[in-house]
Amino acid sequence: MKNIISLFAFSLLLLLQVSCDSSPQVSGPKNLVVGQPVTIHVQQGSNFVEGQFKIVDSEGGIFTPTTSLMEYSFFSGKEFSFRVPPNVATGPAKLEIGSTSGPYKIDVNLYRGFVTGDGAGNVVMYSIDNPRKVLRRGSMGIGTYQLRMLNDQSNFVAFSPTDGRIDWLSVDNSDTSTFGVVAPSLSIASDTPGVNAKPSDILALSRGLVVATDRGVGTLLVNSVGAGTEVSFGSWISQAAAFNAVDISDVISEGAGARIVVAGAVGATTESVLVVFNSVPFPTNNSTKVQISLTTDGANVTDVAIARSGAYIAAVNPDLNRLFLVEFDSRNVVPTDITGCQNPRSLQFVAGDQRLAVLCVNSKTLELFSVAGTTATPYRSLPVGSDTKKPLALYYDASGLLYISLEEGGLQVVDAGSSNPEVSSVAGFDSVIAGSFFIQP
């Protein structure tokens, strides 16, 4: 899975109708999801005091207007808005709002979303604490989807490699049962001018999308048109290979933004390569690019990961049963054969880039490596899946937990940074099949 870390948002109005004794009566939904934008409005009663607002979560955590990603905006004594920030504890919580006659206290419930496709044309957001509770649904293309969050934590992208359909979605919508649409869906595989390519992986940036395809890696731009938006093809960044995986680091500098890496194959079956470029300015065919050859023994790289620092890149090749570690500055490539691992398909830097997790589908193991530069030392081999279910996909969330989905349903979790990591099952997910998924931070 990608560390692209991105999230999304519900649009909601809570009406506080205050009686003579200034006791607020709250009408409307009181179930709030991480990332959800909320507008609070008092029709009658004491005015709000600017800046006097906090969320107190179920574990006593306090989140104020200065909290990162709170996005607090004070409009008047009768109205303000905020966004539910990441890292809140789920469950019962209170909104405490200062007013000229004393604080208002409002009981709410906070949820964290688990988002995946159901394999039948829908993207679904479940509660990670109670997967029987469906928070949102949206119609999508056919087949299995790939899902990627956007860094602004309000939008996400879903696409179907089967028919090439790409949807840019959000939960900023007054309809609380369906996802909102940031831009019209399109099919890059058939009707996007200048493209006609089969997508395999996608990355969402604030201005548009970076798409790995069988014709190269290109961009799609999302532009405002009147009151709406439109999606158009930007340019090919590189057509040096047929690309099938993309990942992004944290921001490495203000001028360069983050470092983006795509993995692909040159020619039919032989050479596998990486192409690396920066996210700032928004990438184009004129962007400075670095191409690194991994191997000429086999071109089947199934996944690529870049460290948060951008200094190191990892890739796996299931045909060779091999892990590659690359130091970006020196371009040094070090291969490591993964013994005991059958069909390595996904990988992720974890534990502050100090470890690397590789998901081995056929051997039903999660291989953890200690990483020092380009040296990967086996740390722990953990059995995942079950007697009847293979592991399917990885996702590493902001809290440091590594989640593994299972074919035919199920979800397991590992504290990948632990000195003694163990695999446990997440209750309630037996019927949830997630070929691609993410969890709100």
Side-chain angles (χ1 to χ4, degrees), residues 298-349:
N300 185 23
V301 171
T302 51
D303 200 11
V304 66
I306 187 166
R308 294 183 305 166
S309 66
Y312 295 93
I313 301 167
V316 284
N317 185 313
D319 292 343
L320 303 175
N321 207 43
R322 191 169 294 165
L323 166 70
F324 295 90
L325 271 175
V326 181
E327 183 180 40
F328 176 75
D329 287 341
S330 68
R331 317 293 193 256
N332 185 32
V333 178
V334 177
T336 299
D337 290 332
I338 315 174
T339 58
C341 173
Q342 299 173 23
N343 196 12
R345 284 282 164 181
S346 302
L347 79 164
Q348 178 67 60
F349 281 97

Short mmCIF file of all heavy atoms in Angstrom, two decimals, residues 298-349:
data_model
loop_
_atom_site.label_atom_id
_atom_site.label_comp_id
_atom_site.label_asym_id
_atom_site.label_seq_id
_atom_site.Cartn_x
_atom_site.Cartn_y
_atom_site.Cartn_z
N GLY A 298 14.77 -9.55 -15.06
CA GLY A 298 13.32 -9.73 -15.06
C GLY A 298 12.64 -8.42 -14.76
O GLY A 298 13.10 -7.64 -13.92
N ALA A 299 11.54 -8.15 -15.46
CA ALA A 299 10.93 -6.83 -15.39
C ALA A 299 9.69 -6.75 -14.50
O ALA A 299 9.06 -5.72 -14.42
CB ALA A 299 10.55 -6.37 -16.80
N ASN A 300 9.34 -7.83 -13.83
CA ASN A 300 8.07 -7.88 -13.13
C ASN A 300 8.18 -7.33 -11.70
O ASN A 300 8.25 -8.08 -10.74
CB ASN A 300 7.53 -9.31 -13.10
CG ASN A 300 6.15 -9.40 -12.48
OD1 ASN A 300 5.41 -8.41 -12.46
ND2 ASN A 300 5.81 -10.57 -12.00
N VAL A 301 8.22 -6.00 -11.58
CA VAL A 301 8.17 -5.36 -10.27
C VAL A 301 6.71 -5.11 -9.93
O VAL A 301 6.01 -4.40 -10.65
CB VAL A 301 8.95 -4.04 -10.24
CG1 VAL A 301 8.71 -3.29 -8.94
CG2 VAL A 301 10.44 -4.31 -10.42
N THR A 302 6.23 -5.70 -8.84
CA THR A 302 4.80 -5.59 -8.52
C THR A 302 4.49 -4.43 -7.58
O THR A 302 3.34 -3.98 -7.52
CB THR A 302 4.29 -6.89 -7.87
OG1 THR A 302 5.17 -7.23 -6.79
CG2 THR A 302 4.25 -8.01 -8.89
N ASP A 303 5.48 -3.95 -6.82
CA ASP A 303 5.21 -2.82 -5.93
C ASP A 303 6.49 -2.07 -5.67
O ASP A 303 7.59 -2.62 -5.73
CB ASP A 303 4.59 -3.30 -4.61
CG ASP A 303 3.85 -2.18 -3.89
OD1 ASP A 303 3.63 -1.11 -4.49
OD2 ASP A 303 3.46 -2.38 -2.72
N VAL A 304 6.33 -0.77 -5.37
CA VAL A 304 7.45 0.09 -5.05
C VAL A 304 7.07 0.93 -3.84
O VAL A 304 5.89 1.26 -3.64
CB VAL A 304 7.82 1.00 -6.25
CG1 VAL A 304 6.72 1.99 -6.56
CG2 VAL A 304 9.14 1.72 -6.01
N ALA A 305 8.04 1.22 -2.98
CA ALA A 305 7.81 2.04 -1.80
C ALA A 305 8.99 2.98 -1.63
O ALA A 305 10.14 2.62 -1.94
CB ALA A 305 7.64 1.17 -0.55
N ILE A 306 8.72 4.19 -1.15
CA ILE A 306 9.78 5.15 -0.90
C ILE A 306 9.71 5.56 0.56
O ILE A 306 8.62 5.71 1.14
CB ILE A 306 9.66 6.38 -1.83
CG1 ILE A 306 10.89 7.29 -1.68
CG2 ILE A 306 8.38 7.14 -1.61
CD1 ILE A 306 11.01 8.34 -2.78
N ALA A 307 10.87 5.68 1.19
CA ALA A 307 10.93 6.08 2.59
C ALA A 307 10.35 7.48 2.75
O ALA A 307 10.37 8.29 1.83
CB ALA A 307 12.37 6.03 3.09
N ARG A 308 9.85 7.77 3.94
CA ARG A 308 9.27 9.09 4.18
C ARG A 308 10.28 10.20 3.92
O ARG A 308 9.93 11.29 3.44
CB ARG A 308 8.75 9.19 5.62
CG ARG A 308 7.57 8.28 5.92
CD ARG A 308 7.09 8.48 7.34
NE ARG A 308 8.15 8.30 8.31
CZ ARG A 308 8.07 8.67 9.59
NH1 ARG A 308 6.98 9.24 10.04
NH2 ARG A 308 9.09 8.46 10.41
N SER A 309 11.55 9.93 4.20
CA SER A 309 12.61 10.92 3.97
C SER A 309 12.93 11.09 2.50
O SER A 309 13.59 12.07 2.12
CB SER A 309 13.87 10.48 4.71
OG SER A 309 14.38 9.28 4.13
N GLY A 310 12.51 10.14 1.67
CA GLY A 310 12.84 10.18 0.25
C GLY A 310 14.22 9.67 -0.07
O GLY A 310 14.63 9.64 -1.23
N ALA A 311 14.98 9.25 0.95
CA ALA A 311 16.38 8.86 0.73
C ALA A 311 16.53 7.46 0.17
O ALA A 311 17.51 7.16 -0.52
CB ALA A 311 17.15 8.97 2.04
N TYR A 312 15.56 6.57 0.45
CA TYR A 312 15.67 5.17 0.03
C TYR A 312 14.38 4.71 -0.62
O TYR A 312 13.29 5.14 -0.28
CB TYR A 312 16.01 4.27 1.22
CG TYR A 312 17.37 4.57 1.81
CD1 TYR A 312 17.50 5.47 2.87
CD2 TYR A 312 18.51 4.01 1.27
CE1 TYR A 312 18.74 5.78 3.39
CE2 TYR A 312 19.76 4.32 1.78
CZ TYR A 312 19.88 5.21 2.83
OH TYR A 312 21.13 5.52 3.33
N ILE A 313 14.56 3.81 -1.59
CA ILE A 313 13.44 3.25 -2.35
C ILE A 313 13.55 1.74 -2.29
O ILE A 313 14.66 1.18 -2.31
CB ILE A 313 13.48 3.73 -3.81
CG1 ILE A 313 13.42 5.26 -3.88
CG2 ILE A 313 12.34 3.12 -4.63
CD1 ILE A 313 13.78 5.82 -5.25
N ALA A 314 12.40 1.07 -2.20
CA ALA A 314 12.37 -0.39 -2.20
C ALA A 314 11.41 -0.88 -3.26
O ALA A 314 10.43 -0.21 -3.60
CB ALA A 314 11.95 -0.92 -0.83
N ALA A 315 11.69 -2.05 -3.83
CA ALA A 315 10.80 -2.66 -4.83
C ALA A 315 10.90 -4.17 -4.68
O ALA A 315 11.92 -4.70 -4.22
CB ALA A 315 11.20 -2.24 -6.24
N VAL A 316 9.82 -4.87 -5.07
CA VAL A 316 9.83 -6.33 -5.02
C VAL A 316 9.52 -6.90 -6.40
O VAL A 316 8.72 -6.35 -7.16
CB VAL A 316 8.81 -6.90 -4.01
CG1 VAL A 316 9.31 -6.76 -2.61
CG2 VAL A 316 7.44 -6.27 -4.17
N ASN A 317 10.19 -8.03 -6.70
CA ASN A 317 10.01 -8.74 -7.96
C ASN A 317 9.64 -10.19 -7.64
O ASN A 317 10.49 -10.96 -7.17
CB ASN A 317 11.29 -8.69 -8.79
CG ASN A 317 11.12 -9.30 -10.16
OD1 ASN A 317 10.57 -10.38 -10.31
ND2 ASN A 317 11.62 -8.61 -11.19
N PRO A 318 8.36 -10.59 -7.82
CA PRO A 318 7.95 -11.94 -7.44
C PRO A 318 8.54 -13.02 -8.34
O PRO A 318 8.71 -14.16 -7.89
CB PRO A 318 6.42 -11.90 -7.56
CG PRO A 318 6.15 -10.80 -8.51
CD PRO A 318 7.22 -9.78 -8.32
N ASP A 319 8.85 -12.72 -9.61
CA ASP A 319 9.45 -13.73 -10.49
C ASP A 319 10.83 -14.14 -10.00
O ASP A 319 11.22 -15.31 -10.07
CB ASP A 319 9.55 -13.20 -11.92
CG ASP A 319 8.18 -13.02 -12.56
OD1 ASP A 319 7.20 -13.60 -12.04
OD2 ASP A 319 8.08 -12.31 -13.58
N LEU A 320 11.57 -13.15 -9.50
CA LEU A 320 12.92 -13.42 -8.99
C LEU A 320 12.92 -13.68 -7.48
O LEU A 320 13.95 -14.03 -6.91
CB LEU A 320 13.84 -12.23 -9.28
CG LEU A 320 13.98 -11.83 -10.76
CD1 LEU A 320 14.83 -10.58 -10.88
CD2 LEU A 320 14.60 -12.98 -11.57
N ASN A 321 11.77 -13.48 -6.82
CA ASN A 321 11.66 -13.60 -5.37
C ASN A 321 12.72 -12.72 -4.70
O ASN A 321 13.47 -13.16 -3.82
CB ASN A 321 11.82 -15.04 -4.93
CG ASN A 321 11.10 -15.32 -3.63
OD1 ASN A 321 9.97 -14.89 -3.44
ND2 ASN A 321 11.74 -16.03 -2.72
N ARG A 322 12.71 -11.45 -5.12
CA ARG A 322 13.82 -10.57 -4.76
C ARG A 322 13.32 -9.20 -4.32
O ARG A 322 12.35 -8.66 -4.85
CB ARG A 322 14.75 -10.42 -5.96
CG ARG A 322 16.09 -9.75 -5.68
CD ARG A 322 17.00 -9.93 -6.88
NE ARG A 322 17.35 -11.34 -7.08
CZ ARG A 322 17.89 -11.82 -8.20
NH1 ARG A 322 18.14 -11.01 -9.21
NH2 ARG A 322 18.18 -13.10 -8.29
N LEU A 323 14.01 -8.67 -3.31
CA LEU A 323 13.80 -7.31 -2.81
C LEU A 323 14.96 -6.44 -3.27
O LEU A 323 16.11 -6.86 -3.22
CB LEU A 323 13.72 -7.34 -1.29
CG LEU A 323 13.83 -6.01 -0.53
CD1 LEU A 323 12.59 -5.16 -0.75
CD2 LEU A 323 14.05 -6.27 0.96
N PHE A 324 14.65 -5.24 -3.73
CA PHE A 324 15.68 -4.28 -4.13
C PHE A 324 15.61 -3.07 -3.20
O PHE A 324 14.53 -2.53 -2.95
CB PHE A 324 15.49 -3.81 -5.57
CG PHE A 324 15.64 -4.89 -6.60
CD1 PHE A 324 14.55 -5.63 -7.01
CD2 PHE A 324 16.88 -5.15 -7.15
CE1 PHE A 324 14.68 -6.62 -7.95
CE2 PHE A 324 17.04 -6.15 -8.10
CZ PHE A 324 15.94 -6.89 -8.51
N LEU A 325 16.77 -2.65 -2.69
CA LEU A 325 16.87 -1.40 -1.94
C LEU A 325 17.79 -0.45 -2.70
O LEU A 325 18.86 -0.85 -3.18
CB LEU A 325 17.43 -1.64 -0.54
CG LEU A 325 16.41 -1.96 0.56
CD1 LEU A 325 17.12 -2.30 1.86
CD2 LEU A 325 15.45 -0.80 0.77
N VAL A 326 17.35 0.80 -2.83
CA VAL A 326 18.06 1.79 -3.63
C VAL A 326 18.31 3.03 -2.79
O VAL A 326 17.38 3.56 -2.16
CB VAL A 326 17.24 2.18 -4.88
CG1 VAL A 326 18.00 3.20 -5.72
CG2 VAL A 326 16.88 0.95 -5.70
N GLU A 327 19.57 3.48 -2.76
CA GLU A 327 19.87 4.78 -2.17
C GLU A 327 19.76 5.82 -3.28
O GLU A 327 20.48 5.74 -4.28
CB GLU A 327 21.27 4.80 -1.56
CG GLU A 327 21.59 6.12 -0.88
CD GLU A 327 22.98 6.13 -0.28
OE1 GLU A 327 23.90 5.60 -0.92
OE2 GLU A 327 23.14 6.68 0.82
N PHE A 328 18.87 6.78 -3.10
CA PHE A 328 18.59 7.70 -4.20
C PHE A 328 19.81 8.55 -4.56
O PHE A 328 20.15 8.67 -5.75
CB PHE A 328 17.42 8.63 -3.85
CG PHE A 328 17.17 9.66 -4.90
CD1 PHE A 328 16.55 9.31 -6.10
CD2 PHE A 328 17.57 10.98 -4.73
CE1 PHE A 328 16.34 10.25 -7.09
CE2 PHE A 328 17.37 11.92 -5.71
CZ PHE A 328 16.74 11.57 -6.90
N ASP A 329 20.49 9.14 -3.59
CA ASP A 329 21.58 10.06 -3.91
C ASP A 329 22.71 9.39 -4.67
O ASP A 329 23.26 9.94 -5.64
CB ASP A 329 22.13 10.70 -2.63
CG ASP A 329 21.18 11.74 -2.06
OD1 ASP A 329 20.30 12.22 -2.81
OD2 ASP A 329 21.30 12.06 -0.86
N SER A 330 23.10 8.17 -4.25
CA SER A 330 24.20 7.47 -4.91
C SER A 330 23.75 6.61 -6.08
O SER A 330 24.57 6.13 -6.85
CB SER A 330 24.94 6.60 -3.89
OG SER A 330 24.11 5.52 -3.47
N ARG A 331 22.43 6.37 -6.18
CA ARG A 331 21.84 5.47 -7.19
C ARG A 331 22.29 4.02 -6.98
O ARG A 331 22.18 3.19 -7.88
CB ARG A 331 22.20 5.89 -8.63
CG ARG A 331 22.10 7.37 -8.94
CD ARG A 331 20.69 7.91 -8.88
NE ARG A 331 20.63 9.23 -9.47
CZ ARG A 331 20.54 10.37 -8.80
NH1 ARG A 331 20.49 10.35 -7.47
NH2 ARG A 331 20.49 11.53 -9.42
N ASN A 332 22.77 3.72 -5.79
CA ASN A 332 23.24 2.37 -5.48
C ASN A 332 22.05 1.43 -5.34
O ASN A 332 21.11 1.70 -4.58
CB ASN A 332 24.05 2.39 -4.18
CG ASN A 332 24.68 1.06 -3.87
OD1 ASN A 332 25.04 0.30 -4.78
ND2 ASN A 332 24.82 0.75 -2.58
N VAL A 333 22.08 0.30 -6.07
CA VAL A 333 21.00 -0.70 -6.04
C VAL A 333 21.53 -1.98 -5.40
O VAL A 333 22.52 -2.54 -5.86
CB VAL A 333 20.49 -0.99 -7.46
CG1 VAL A 333 19.40 -2.06 -7.43
CG2 VAL A 333 19.97 0.28 -8.13
N VAL A 334 20.86 -2.45 -4.35
CA VAL A 334 21.29 -3.66 -3.66
C VAL A 334 20.14 -4.67 -3.68
O VAL A 334 19.10 -4.44 -3.07
CB VAL A 334 21.70 -3.36 -2.21
CG1 VAL A 334 22.09 -4.66 -1.49
CG2 VAL A 334 22.86 -2.37 -2.18
N PRO A 335 20.31 -5.80 -4.37
CA PRO A 335 19.27 -6.84 -4.37
C PRO A 335 19.42 -7.77 -3.17
O PRO A 335 20.53 -8.05 -2.72
CB PRO A 335 19.53 -7.59 -5.68
CG PRO A 335 21.00 -7.42 -5.91
CD PRO A 335 21.41 -6.10 -5.31
N THR A 336 18.29 -8.25 -2.67
CA THR A 336 18.29 -9.22 -1.58
C THR A 336 17.28 -10.30 -1.89
O THR A 336 16.10 -10.01 -2.12
CB THR A 336 17.90 -8.54 -0.24
OG1 THR A 336 18.85 -7.53 0.07
CG2 THR A 336 17.86 -9.57 0.89
N ASP A 337 17.73 -11.55 -1.97
CA ASP A 337 16.80 -12.66 -2.17
C ASP A 337 16.00 -12.89 -0.89
O ASP A 337 16.56 -12.88 0.21
CB ASP A 337 17.55 -13.93 -2.56
CG ASP A 337 18.15 -13.84 -3.95
OD1 ASP A 337 17.60 -13.11 -4.79
OD2 ASP A 337 19.20 -14.48 -4.18
N ILE A 338 14.68 -13.08 -1.05
CA ILE A 338 13.80 -13.24 0.11
C ILE A 338 13.52 -14.72 0.29
O ILE A 338 12.62 -15.29 -0.33
CB ILE A 338 12.49 -12.47 -0.08
CG1 ILE A 338 12.75 -11.06 -0.62
CG2 ILE A 338 11.73 -12.38 1.23
CD1 ILE A 338 11.49 -10.30 -0.95
N THR A 339 14.29 -15.36 1.12
CA THR A 339 14.11 -16.80 1.34
C THR A 339 12.85 -17.05 2.16
O THR A 339 12.53 -16.32 3.09
CB THR A 339 15.32 -17.39 2.08
OG1 THR A 339 15.49 -16.70 3.31
CG2 THR A 339 16.59 -17.23 1.25
N GLY A 340 12.14 -18.11 1.80
CA GLY A 340 10.93 -18.46 2.52
C GLY A 340 9.71 -17.67 2.12
O GLY A 340 8.62 -17.91 2.63
N CYS A 341 9.88 -16.71 1.24
CA CYS A 341 8.77 -15.86 0.80
C CYS A 341 8.35 -16.28 -0.60
O CYS A 341 9.17 -16.32 -1.51
CB CYS A 341 9.18 -14.40 0.80
SG CYS A 341 7.98 -13.26 0.08
N GLN A 342 7.09 -16.60 -0.77
CA GLN A 342 6.57 -16.97 -2.08
C GLN A 342 5.59 -15.91 -2.57
O GLN A 342 4.64 -15.57 -1.88
CB GLN A 342 5.86 -18.32 -2.01
CG GLN A 342 6.76 -19.47 -1.57
CD GLN A 342 5.97 -20.75 -1.36
OE1 GLN A 342 4.89 -20.93 -1.90
NE2 GLN A 342 6.52 -21.65 -0.55
N ASN A 343 5.88 -15.37 -3.74
CA ASN A 343 5.03 -14.38 -4.39
C ASN A 343 4.93 -13.07 -3.57
O ASN A 343 3.86 -12.68 -3.13
CB ASN A 343 3.63 -14.94 -4.64
CG ASN A 343 2.84 -14.09 -5.64
OD1 ASN A 343 3.38 -13.22 -6.32
ND2 ASN A 343 1.54 -14.34 -5.72
N PRO A 344 6.08 -12.38 -3.38
CA PRO A 344 6.03 -11.07 -2.71
C PRO A 344 5.29 -10.07 -3.59
O PRO A 344 5.66 -9.85 -4.74
CB PRO A 344 7.51 -10.69 -2.56
CG PRO A 344 8.20 -11.45 -3.65
CD PRO A 344 7.44 -12.73 -3.82
N ARG A 345 4.23 -9.45 -3.05
CA ARG A 345 3.37 -8.60 -3.87
C ARG A 345 3.30 -7.17 -3.41
O ARG A 345 3.06 -6.28 -4.21
CB ARG A 345 1.95 -9.19 -3.88
CG ARG A 345 1.81 -10.41 -4.78
CD ARG A 345 1.71 -10.01 -6.22
NE ARG A 345 1.94 -11.12 -7.13
CZ ARG A 345 1.92 -11.00 -8.45
NH1 ARG A 345 1.70 -9.84 -9.01
NH2 ARG A 345 2.16 -12.05 -9.21
N SER A 346 3.43 -6.92 -2.11
CA SER A 346 3.28 -5.57 -1.58
C SER A 346 4.38 -5.32 -0.56
O SER A 346 4.83 -6.25 0.12
CB SER A 346 1.91 -5.39 -0.91
OG SER A 346 0.86 -5.66 -1.82
N LEU A 347 4.79 -4.05 -0.47
CA LEU A 347 5.78 -3.72 0.55
C LEU A 347 5.57 -2.29 1.02
O LEU A 347 4.91 -1.49 0.35
CB LEU A 347 7.21 -3.90 0.04
CG LEU A 347 7.82 -2.83 -0.86
CD1 LEU A 347 9.33 -3.01 -0.92
CD2 LEU A 347 7.27 -2.90 -2.26
N GLN A 348 6.12 -1.99 2.20
CA GLN A 348 5.90 -0.70 2.82
C GLN A 348 7.00 -0.42 3.82
O GLN A 348 7.35 -1.29 4.63
CB GLN A 348 4.54 -0.68 3.53
CG GLN A 348 4.21 0.61 4.25
CD GLN A 348 4.01 1.75 3.29
OE1 GLN A 348 3.14 1.70 2.43
NE2 GLN A 348 4.82 2.79 3.42
N PHE A 349 7.59 0.79 3.78
CA PHE A 349 8.46 1.22 4.86
C PHE A 349 7.60 1.47 6.10
O PHE A 349 6.54 2.09 6.01
CB PHE A 349 9.20 2.51 4.49
CG PHE A 349 10.39 2.29 3.60
CD1 PHE A 349 10.28 2.46 2.22
CD2 PHE A 349 11.62 1.93 4.13
CE1 PHE A 349 11.37 2.26 1.39
CE2 PHE A 349 12.72 1.74 3.31
CZ PHE A 349 12.60 1.90 1.93
#
